[in-house]
Each structure stands twice: as structure tokens, then as C-alpha cells.
Amino acid sequence: MMTHLKKNRSKLTVYFFSALIALIVSLAAMSLNKNEESKNTAAVQVVDVPSKKVLYTADNEGNIKPLDFTETTDKVLDAVVHIKSTKTASSGMAEARQLPDPFREFFGDRFKGQSPEGLQPMPMVGTGSGVIINEKGYIVTNNHVIENADEVEVTLYNNESYKATVIGTDPSTDLALLQIKADNLKTMALINSDDVEVGEWVLAVGNPLGLNSTVTAGIVSAKARNININKDKFAVESFIQTDAAINPGNSGGALVNLDGNLIGINTAIASRTGTYNGYGFAVPSNIVTKVVEDLLKYGTVQRGMLGVTIRTMDSGLAKEKRVDFVKGVWVENVGEGSAAQKAGIEPGDIILEANGKQTLTSPRLQEIIASKRPGDKVDISINREGKIKEFEVVLQNTQGTTDINKKEKKEVLNLLGADFETIDKEMAKKLNIDGGVQVVRLYPGQIRKQTQMREGFVITHIDGKKVETVAEVAEILEGKQGGVMLEGVYDGQPGKYYYAFGLDNSF
């Protein structure tokens, strides 16, 4: 009986305090409306109600109302597009080894898109999202959305569709830049992602699971996150983490703040099932801006390198290395002849800051360096055996120089869907040719769509004309209509190879 009474008293106590709390909240709200000094504030409150929490805000007049995202949504929906990438299981025509009459062989009916056996290719379709960043039709998306595709199609929010040209890709950051020819496009501005704070509200906008123009809300739950999903040799991972729902199809879409500005490109999810399981990850807008600028200005991304192997400092690492724990980035190794070695940085140093910005984790240091180019100077602050030292590091490229590597910027080369490089004399001698142009990377375009060319192919002739530089390739193909014959060789494979395709410069 006593036990039963105690339970009843306990319940009465809970009810009493619940009612008291409700009364205090109600009085506080009334006071807020009457208080003239509160009219210029924009307070955010969390009010407890049965079984859930409702977020409230106070406007400039002190009126309390639930927070909504309709104004932000209206700003951003038109600038986020749906991307369809198509690949045929048997792309174009097979390569040929011996051609007694190559022009007659390759310029006939086989441009109809069928395989040599007359079999219709089997299309494979992938979908994703993209963000329009300027009125010239440039669109940012993820590299993995369009990788290995033969053709890319972009559909706007108003359901208009356009064929897209790939301007460039950067596997290291999993970004790609596309362009469509369209007018009156709505765009989205990029802002400084360093200003983004953990805990601030964000929206994820994209096309998940085939559901076009989907908006989800959440907060920034972490920054400078590395999840080791990018397997590129020079991968840069310093993601913004969010609990806004992101699913397959959101890749390449927008992560925006409540002002409707782009703070990141949604790229990955942490999941054991392949669908949303709590956290999504976005490439910060600072990295996006750098990649886009490089692709437009130089035709390829300029990657500044410190030349060190690093690890995030923690108590376990400090114990392993028998040093005092210091927040920063441990330098495990320093490359021979690297920018770091030339500046005086040594293994065992702990990097504290780069250009005045704290480097508490390896991803954060990667992010800062990824925003620089070869030849840029970076001030590095380190802890060496308890003493603070400062170094000025001149970043280098992957070849160990400070040179900026440009590629020939011609629209026709973008239509082909390839990055080209003039081979040097040593390689020409090795291949027993006078010179040539190597296809160093393939992405969606006419070559991949209509041929089975592989990366590494060295072009020696186009339509029977000898070519030795990228500029000569562009000159021959500029304004070209109809069939094109490429002749060349592969390193390590005997004989000549021939590829033919149709070119329409109005694409």
C-alpha cells in the first residue's frame, strides 16, 4: 500500500512541476511580446511540448513563430538540376588493327551507333544532381556522377533538358564541371565555407532515389571530416558533415545555408545499407571554388603539394611517439626534395597552423593546402620538441616543380571528352614515332561514346595528317563536321590502332 502511495505522490510531483514549467514558459512568451527592447532581436528558443520539441523564432517585432525554410527553398530550387549519365555496354565501334582501306571501312554505315556485329548496345543509366553556378551554364557536380558515361543530360527544375559538355574533372576531390547552352538560368552563389559553423541550419537539395527536386533540412554536425571514400592517389577529403537526409541521387547536389548560398556539394553518405543512415558529407565550397577556377583558367586542376605524410595528433599517437600531447598534425615522413623539406620541416614536427589557420586534424590541413597552387607560399607554424618554429613553404606540383600546367583550351577538345598531352622526345623515341599526342584521360564525349579507345592512346595522325602537338589536334578538328579517323599506338602494345567517330561541332 505504501509503495502505491509513493508512486501516486511521485506522479503528482511530476504533474505539479510540469504545470509550473508550462506557466513560466507562457509568462516568458507574454513578457517577450510586451518588452520593447526585444523588438530588434531574432532569438531562437526550444520549447518543450508533449513527445516532441518545436523550434520557435522571434521576428524583429518580437512576434514568436515557428521556423520554416520556404524562403530559402524558393531561392535555391531553380539552381539545382537533375543529371542523367548514360553508358552503352558496347560503346561504338571496335578498334581495328589492319585497314587496307580505312576511310571506306570506317566512314560507312557503322556510324549508326551499332557494334560491328550489328548488335544494339545496352544502355546503362545513372542519375545524380548538379548546381548551376553562373549564367553561362556552368554546372558543378560529382565526378562519380558522370564518370565512365558516354553522354550526359541535364534537366532543369522546369523540366527542360539539355545535352551537357564536360569541361573538366578532378577525381582527387570528386568534382566535375559541366556546361549547357541555355538562357535565363537561375544560379547559386558560393560562400566562404570556413565561415560555416557546427550546429547551424542547412538544407540539402537534390534528386534522391529518383525523387526530383527534394529538399531536406538538418544542421552541420561536423567539419573537416575524412571518411576514406575517395581512393584517388592524391585524394582530398575534408567534408562538411550534416544530418540533413542525403541518399543516392543527391550526389552533386547543393548543401546551402539559410541565406540560400552554396556551402558544399553533397557527395557521400555514411551507411551500412546504402541509404540514409544519419549522416551525409559535402565537399566544402572553398574547395569547389578552387577546382572550378582552375578548370576554367588552366583546363586542369593545379594541385599544390607539401610533400609530407601526416597523421592527426591524439593521445594514442603521442604515447606511441613518446612525446607530449599537442593539438595539431603529426609529420610522419617528409619527401625527398619536397616543398616541406626545402623549407626545413622535419619528421616529428607537429603542424599547428597554416597561413594563420589552426590545423587540428589532417583533413583540415589538406583542405587548406588544396586551396593553393604550385608556387604559392604558405606560412607553416610547427611545434618541434616543445618549441614553436615558423617556416615559409613554397608549394610544388606533383612533378616537384612550381610550374603551372596548362592544357589547350578549345571547345572541340571538350566535345571529344578527353584530356590531351604532347608527348616528349624520350617517349616518342621509345614508341619509335616522330611525335604524337597522348590521351591522358577520358570522360563523357564523342570518343568514349563512339569508340573503344583506352586512356594512354597516342595519336600520330588525324585523317591521314601527322600531328605532334595538342594545338595541331585542335586546329585540324576545329569546325570539323562528319567522320574523323584517328591513327596511333599504345605504349607496350605492337602495331597501329585506328579509331573513327562522327563529329558535330554544333553539339
Side-chain angles (χ1 to χ4, degrees):
M1 185 68 178
M2 290 293 292
T3 303
H4 182 68
L5 287 174
K6 288 179 180 178
K7 288 182 179 178
N8 286 337
R9 287 172 182 170
S10 177
K11 289 181 180 178
L12 289 171
T13 302
V14 171
Y15 293 148
F16 174 79
F17 280 107
S18 296
L20 180 60
I21 291 171
L23 178 61
I24 291 171
V25 170
S26 177
L27 291 172
M30 292 172 62
S31 175
L32 183 62
N33 281 327
K34 293 178 181 179
N35 191 343
E36 290 297 323
E37 293 181 358
S38 69
K39 290 184 178 180
N40 294 322
T41 65
V44 178
Q45 300 177 347
V46 176
V47 181
D48 286 327
V49 294
S51 75
K52 66 178 181 178
K53 291 182 178 180
V54 178
L55 183 66
Y56 287 84
T57 64
D59 61 22
N60 290 334
E61 296 180 354
N63 300 312
I64 299 221
K65 61 179 183 178
L67 178 69
D68 70 63
F69 307 106
T70 55
E71 185 176 342
T72 304
T73 300
D74 288 341
K75 289 181 180 179
V76 301
L77 273 178
D78 284 325
V80 179
V81 302
H82 178 271
I83 295 177
K84 182 174 76 173
S85 57
T86 305
K87 177 178 174 59
T88 54
S90 173
S91 294
M93 295 165 283
E95 65 191 16
R97 292 294 303 275
Q98 308 223 343
L99 302 174
D101 188 354
F103 286 88
R104 183 173 61 192
E105 176 75 13
F106 277 86
F107 286 61
D109 294 335
R110 298 210 289 172
F111 282 117
K112 293 180 179 179
Q114 296 182 352
S115 66
E117 295 80 11
L119 299 176
Q120 289 291 341
M122 299 294 293
M124 294 181 289
V125 177
T127 62
S129 307
V131 183
I132 306 172
I133 58 171
N134 71 16
E135 294 178 352
K136 293 183 179 180
Y138 288 109
I139 296 170
V140 176
T141 185
N142 284 137
N143 180 58
H144 75 257
V145 170
I146 56 94
E147 191 175 24
N148 299 320
D150 301 324
E151 190 173 83
V152 178
E153 183 180 83
V154 168
T155 301
L156 305 182
Y157 180 61
N158 64 7
N159 290 326
E160 287 183 295
S161 295
Y162 301 86
K163 296 295 183 184
T165 300
V166 178
I167 301 302
T169 64
D170 182 37
S172 296
T173 55
D174 194 17
L175 293 172
L177 182 64
L178 315 179
Q179 187 178 25
I180 60 174
K181 294 180 179 179
D183 299 319
N184 302 317
L185 294 172
K186 297 294 180 65
T187 66
M188 194 179 299
L190 289 84
I191 64 167
N192 184 355
S193 52
D194 285 348
D195 295 335
V196 175
E197 297 182 2
V198 174
E200 82 171 84
W201 281 98
V202 291
L203 302 183
V205 190
N207 306 279
L209 305 173
L211 304 171
N212 290 354
S213 304
T214 297
V215 180
T216 58
I219 63 168
V220 172
S221 50
K223 292 179 66 178
R225 189 70 87 195
N226 185 318
I227 59 175
N228 295 313
I229 196 171
N230 191 333
K231 302 306 178 184
D232 187 82
K233 181 180 179 181
F234 300 108
V236 176
E237 287 191 13
S238 185
F239 295 124
I240 296 173
Q241 179 180 312
T242 178
D243 63 355
I246 294 174
N247 276 294
N250 273 115
S251 289
L255 188 68
V256 303
N257 63 12
L258 294 193
D259 292 325
N261 295 319
L262 187 68
I263 66 170
I265 294 295
N266 297 321
T267 299
I269 57 176
S271 173
R272 292 177 178 150
T273 64
T275 55
Y276 177 69
N277 201 32
Y279 300 108
F281 302 89
V283 178
S285 56
N286 284 3
I287 292 179
V288 177
T289 300
K290 162 64 164 47
V291 169
V292 170
E293 287 177 350
D294 281 359
L295 290 176
L296 291 177
K297 187 173 182 179
Y298 305 108
T300 185
V301 175
Q302 308 299 314
R303 186 77 69 226
M305 310 289 290
L306 267 179
V308 295
T309 304
I310 55 178
R311 298 169 64 181
T312 300
M313 277 296 294
D314 56 28
S315 297
L317 180 57
K319 185 177 180 179
E320 175 190 331
K321 301 299 182 181
R322 298 180 180 178
V323 298
D324 293 334
F325 171 67
V326 176
K327 291 183 179 180
V329 176
W330 174 268
V331 178
E332 186 75 14
N333 294 298
V334 178
E336 186 71 28
S338 67
Q341 186 190 56
K342 291 177 179 178
I345 295 176
E346 300 175 357
D349 288 343
I350 302 172
I351 299 176
L352 308 175
E353 293 183 351
N355 278 354
K357 300 176 182 178
Q358 280 191 312
T359 55
L360 302 181
T361 65
S362 297
R364 179 54 176 156
L365 177 59
Q366 279 188 313
E367 181 181 352
I368 295 171
I369 299 302
S371 68
K372 306 298 179 182
R373 300 182 177 93
D376 286 349
K377 296 178 181 179
V378 179
D379 294 323
I380 300 292
S381 176
I382 65 104
N383 180 304
R384 179 179 295 170
E385 298 179 349
K387 296 181 179 180
I388 306 300
K389 293 182 176 292
E390 305 286 339
F391 299 94
E392 184 181 77
V393 182
V394 180
L395 300 180
Q396 299 177 169
N397 58 31
T398 55
Q399 287 77 43
T401 73
T402 58
D403 295 338
I404 296 293
N405 299 315
K406 296 183 180 180
K407 79 170 189 178
E408 188 77 19
K409 286 292 295 173
K410 295 287 186 178
E411 184 177 1
V412 66
L413 300 183
N414 290 329
L415 296 180
L416 295 182
D419 287 340
F420 300 93
E421 191 174 277
T422 301
I423 66 172
D424 56 30
K425 293 180 180 179
E426 290 183 6
M427 186 171 184
K429 183 177 180 181
K430 179 183 177 183
L431 297 175
N432 195 28
I433 57 178
D434 295 332
V437 175
Q438 188 171 43
V439 178
V440 294
R441 182 180 298 167
L442 287 169
Y443 39 83
Q446 299 305 299
I447 289 179
R448 178 178 281 172
K449 182 179 180 181
Q450 300 185 50
T451 78
Q452 291 184 344
M453 182 186 293
R454 304 186 300 279
E455 291 178 356
F457 180 65
V458 178
I459 303 169
T460 58
H461 296 79
I462 299 179
D463 292 347
K465 300 176 182 177
K466 182 182 290 187
V467 292
E468 296 184 1
T469 67
V470 178
E472 290 175 350
V473 172
E475 183 180 353
I476 292 174
L477 297 179
E478 197 77 43
K480 175 81 173 178
Q481 300 286 335
V484 177
M485 166 66 67
L486 303 182
E487 176 186 332
V489 297
Y490 284 100
D491 185 13
Q493 298 184 33
K496 295 180 180 180
Y497 286 74
Y498 298 85
Y499 298 98
F501 57 91
L503 185 62
D504 179 2
N505 274 282
S506 64
F507 171 78

